[in-house]
Every structure is written in C-alpha cells, then in structure tokens.
Amino acid sequence: MCRFLLLENEKIAGFLVLTVIQCLGYPDVYTCRRCARICHRILETVSWNEQYTDLLGNKMFSIVVKAIVTEPKWMVGLEWDMINVLRDVYCRLVLGQTLLPGGQGPGLQQPRDPTNPALFEQSKSVDKPLQGGGVLCRSSDMPRVILSRLPSISVENIQTLDKGLTEKRAAKDQKDLLRELLLAAAEALKETEGGFSGNDSTFGSLFERAGTAESLLNQKAQRSAIVPDIPEKLVTYSMMQKHKEQENTDEQAAALGDIFKLS
C-alpha cells in the first residue's frame, strides 16, 4: 500500500507527501510525532527517487530546520524526533547512508560507484523499506544550502558537519552533531530577534520561544546527575547475607581455636 501511494500514482503521492510535510509545522505534539514517523517511512520508500528530491531535501528539510531553530514552546519534548527526521534526510540524500526503519541505528555508508565516483552505489535494501530502504545515488546539495542560510552557519561549518557525520555514524553521535550546529543558529537567531524570550503578551503562549531551561538545544551534552547521591551508605540484602556468612565463619574459626587451646 505504501509503495502504491508513493510510487504508482503521482497525483496521490504529491498531495499526500505535501500534507504530511505541512503537518510537521502544526502546533500539536501528538500530530507532529506521528507525522515524523510517517516521514521516516516516506524516506525509506522513496528517498532514492530523484522526483522526490525537492520535496524531501528542500520542503521537508526546511520545515524541520525551522521548527527546531525557532524553538517554539509547543515543540518542547519533540526536539529529538525532529532532529531524527533531519538526520534521516541528510544521511540518505547527502551522505549516501541508510538507516534502520524509523531513522534508528547507525548510518550504513554506501560505497562510491567505481565507474562514477560522483555517485553512490544503491543499497541492496532499496526495495525493502522495512529493512532500511535506499539512498539518493546522486548526492543533493539542497540540505547543505538550507543549513548554510542559517545565521552564523558558514560553509566551513557544513564541511565540518559532513566530516563528523561520516566519521561518527552512531545515531547518538550524529544527532548530537546536528544539535550543536542548530544550537549555534538558534543562538544567533535570538540575537537578531533582540533577545525575545516569549514573554511578550502580544504573542500567544503556544507560539512563544521555549525558555533556556526547556529547550533541548541549550541542554549541555554532559549533564550532571539528575538523581543526587544517596547521603548514607546503601546496604542491600545480598550485602547483609554476606556479612552474616562472614560472622558465622569467624565464629566457627574462633570455636576451633578454643578447642586447640583446651588440648
């Protein structure tokens, strides 16, 4: 059914994908989280098809980037889902990496075509979306262009991102690299907004910028422990049993010593 909707009927596919993409900007966490899952399925199914490059690499990517960088209050708690969609698009359309279904797992790098180094070899799972799907063989620069247009993001930043995503392909590492880049853009955007923090009463609370404590982008990668250390020494049942066994052993040894003394 998914293949039919996205590949067999162009009219259905175009409107369907556009609707899902637009829903990524709808101010409701429940709606966006489910649309993000649909976006992963779309990427797994058609990212290899050049007819979808503009929809995925331009429209979908730009809406997700905007949602993350502008940090609306309604999106608090949804940031990792959106960053994961961003990662799925960038890996498949730019870097030639496939992911596991749902944008999970490490990026699986496809080798370059030996007959044409400008192309990636297609994944063996291109016709099997539930096994990871395919990649765009001819790398697209659309996601790079969108990121380069963000405030404070230079071509060197994009090159550093590409290098990091290629060398570190674990899901957590790649999402952290994207988060750090978007944090720099979000901070620069705040400055251009004059430090607007969402406290102006003329804006509805739904569209306020999330505060520093709420925003995922502002959370440090190395966070201190949330649960404080236990003030007293923790004594477990197994520790008590070992202590009793040790006491019994000591008593037996003492009793044997008394016997030898008597003799």
Side-chain angles (χ1 to χ4, degrees):
M1 178 62 73
C2 181
R3 185 177 180 83
F4 170 77
L5 291 175
L6 296 174
L7 294 171
E8 300 297 332
N9 192 308
E10 186 175 340
K11 291 183 179 180
I12 293 177
F15 287 115
L16 175 62
V17 175
L18 277 173
T19 301
V20 173
I21 291 174
Q22 292 297 324
C23 286
L24 289 173
Y26 185 74
D28 178 73
V29 173
Y30 180 89
T31 300
C32 285
R33 180 165 283 129
R34 276 141 190 81
C35 284
R37 294 176 183 176
I38 297 174
C39 286
H40 287 300
R41 179 54 58 86
I42 292 172
L43 288 160
E44 293 153 10
T45 306
V46 300
S47 61
W48 55 269
N49 192 325
E50 291 187 355
Q51 290 181 316
Y52 278 90
T53 301
D54 182 65
L55 279 173
L56 305 179
N58 184 14
K59 292 182 172 60
M60 181 185 290
F61 196 81
S62 60
I63 283 182
V64 176
V65 167
K66 179 182 178 182
I68 297 172
V69 172
T70 55
E71 303 179 284
K73 188 178 287 289
W74 64 264
M75 207 183 67
V76 171
L78 186 66
E79 295 96 334
W80 281 126
D81 298 77
M82 302 296 270
I83 289 176
N84 205 29
V85 173
L86 210 66
R87 172 186 178 236
D88 205 348
V89 175
Y90 204 87
C91 285
R92 292 180 188 275
L93 270 62
V94 178
L95 303 177
Q97 297 178 6
T98 60
L99 306 177
L100 295 177
Q104 302 301 312
L108 305 176
Q109 185 67 58
Q110 297 303 307
R112 292 284 182 176
D113 188 335
T115 61
N116 188 350
L119 304 178
F120 291 106
E121 289 185 0
Q122 187 53 265
S123 168
K124 294 180 180 179
S125 60
V126 62
D127 293 325
K128 301 174 182 177
L130 295 179
Q131 295 182 19
V135 300
L136 186 66
C137 292
R138 189 179 298 278
S139 178
S140 171
D141 283 330
M142 288 183 186
R144 290 191 181 109
V145 171
I146 292 170
L147 290 178
S148 66
R149 290 174 179 171
L150 294 174
S152 82
I153 304 301
S154 64
V155 175
E156 289 74 19
N157 296 137
I158 305 300
Q159 293 173 344
T160 302
L161 175 68
D162 286 356
K163 182 180 179 181
L165 294 175
T166 303
E167 294 176 350
K168 299 180 179 180
R169 297 199 292 271
K172 182 180 182 302
D173 292 335
Q174 290 188 332
K175 287 189 284 189
D176 282 342
L177 287 169
L178 287 166
R179 183 182 67 87
E180 290 171 6
L181 182 78
L182 296 173
L183 171 60
E187 291 297 326
L189 185 61
K190 285 180 186 177
E191 293 180 3
T192 61
E193 293 173 349
F196 173 66
S197 61
N199 296 321
D200 192 332
S201 60
T202 60
F203 290 83
S205 60
L206 189 66
F207 297 99
E208 293 176 355
R209 179 182 285 275
T212 303
E214 298 173 304
S215 172
L216 172 73
L217 296 180
N218 288 283
Q219 294 178 9
K220 294 182 180 179
Q222 301 294 332
R223 300 183 62 187
S224 58
I226 296 175
V227 180
D229 293 334
I230 299 175
E232 300 177 358
K233 183 179 179 180
L234 179 65
V235 179
T236 63
Y237 177 77
S238 60
M239 292 170 63
M240 294 174 62
Q241 289 296 108
K242 288 181 180 179
H243 182 67
K244 288 183 179 179
E245 291 174 1
Q246 185 63 40
E247 287 182 344
N248 292 335
T249 302
D250 294 341
E251 290 177 358
Q252 291 176 1
L256 289 173
D258 292 340
I259 291 174
F260 286 117
K261 287 180 181 179
L262 292 173
S263 62

